[in-house]
Amino acid sequence: DRSARAGTTAGWEIAELTAAFNEMAEHVAGTERQRRELTSDISHELRNPLNTIRGWLIAAHDGVADLDPELVSSLLAETALLHRLVDDLRDLALADAGELRLEPVELNLADLLRHVAATGSGRVTVQAPPRLLLVADPIRIRQAVGNLVANAERYTPPDGSITVRARRVESVVVIDVADTGPGIAAADLPHVFDRFWRADKSRNRRTGGTGLGLAVVRKLAEAHGGTVSAVSTPGAGSTFTLRLPAAKEPA
Ligand code: ADP
């Protein structure tokens, strides 16, 4: 029975989310006020997709809307957004608790970056030396670079371009994700890595993002002993930079 199955999935997601949130609330550094704000942000972010899904399902149930394929696709997109929210909240909760377990291996960054670029819209260019070794968790590095590329895709108009550049500078691997999008105002730049922070423009417009992508990138970079930072020229574009400790060259 379809509706029962949907109910179970939603139940599982809510349970997962509650667990993630409780864990985060316990461990997140900050004041009681910040904790209350975070709770309120999370419920706000959940309410939009849940209301959309619930509203259409009620309408279909009451026979006043048809679940045509187009509507089903858009409801699936809403559940995908809820899913990403839950996953991001879980990763942040784990990172807050110091329990983000990495499985580092030696990997060649050029291959990984090409893999990430291939999941994009086809306008992502990769510039990397053919052999650039890194000891890191490939799943987590793909996630971090993937979030930066997803943002570049989300905020850059279709005629813009996105470049992923990697190089080694002494003992650090530097990965730039540069776009020719709208850029970020200087006053906003310090906030972009905060949880649920969005520039007004992206706040008003549904972008499909969770508002947690950059907060997750920062945690993943830090878990690897690295950093992430951003520079931007409003009207010209933004560059996000990951810096990660390089693998030692064999003697
Ligand atoms: P979101 O899901 O809203 O993209 P993020 O944490 O990934 O959340 O990003 C936070 C905010 O930073 C975005 O809402 C947007 O305002 C801004 N931002 C992030 N990446 C870019 C970019 N490449 N160009 C312009 N603005 C960006």
Side-chain angles (χ1 to χ4, degrees), residues 1-12:
D1 171 79
R2 271 177 143 197
S3 59
R5 221 168 41 230
T8 310
T9 308
W12 173 82

Side-chain angles (χ1 to χ4, degrees), residues 168-193:
R168 186 180 166 135
V169 182
E170 293 171 3
S171 60
V172 180
V173 168
V174 181
I175 307 165
D176 286 330
V177 178
D179 66 56
T180 59
I184 301 163
D188 288 344
L189 260 187
H191 302 294
V192 292
F193 296 99

Side-chain angles (χ1 to χ4, degrees), residues 90-220:
R90 185 204 49 204
D91 288 343
L92 288 171
L94 286 173
D96 287 338
E99 285 167 9
L100 197 72
R101 269 181 249 300
L102 300 179
E103 294 186 23
V105 296
E106 186 172 75
L107 54 93
N108 184 9
L109 199 55
D111 300 336
L112 184 148
L113 296 180
R114 261 183 273 283
H115 186 98
V116 173
T119 62
S121 62
R123 58 178 171 156
V124 183
T125 313
V126 177
Q127 298 171 357
R131 201 178 127 86
L132 184 54
L133 297 183
L134 190 66
V135 177
D137 185 324
I139 292 176
R140 294 308 194 175
I141 297 301
R142 219 176 286 156
Q143 181 182 5
V145 179
N147 281 2
L148 295 178
V149 170
N151 277 353
E153 296 266 22
R154 191 175 300 137
Y155 299 109
T156 305
D159 60 348
S161 64
I162 298 160
T163 310
V164 181
R165 266 186 308 265
R167 62 197 184 277
R168 186 180 166 135
V169 182
E170 293 171 3
S171 60
V172 180
V173 168
V174 181
I175 307 165
D176 286 330
V177 178
D179 66 56
T180 59
I184 301 163
D188 288 344
L189 260 187
H191 302 294
V192 292
F193 296 99
D194 293 350
R195 294 170 193 194
F196 293 123
W197 187 92
R198 291 180 173 108
D200 283 343
K201 268 182 237 136
S202 28
R203 191 176 283 277
N204 297 336
R205 182 165 63 98
R206 299 294 307 273
T207 62
T210 63
L212 294 171
L214 290 176
V216 170
V217 174
R218 184 166 63 182
K219 286 292 183 184
L220 294 177

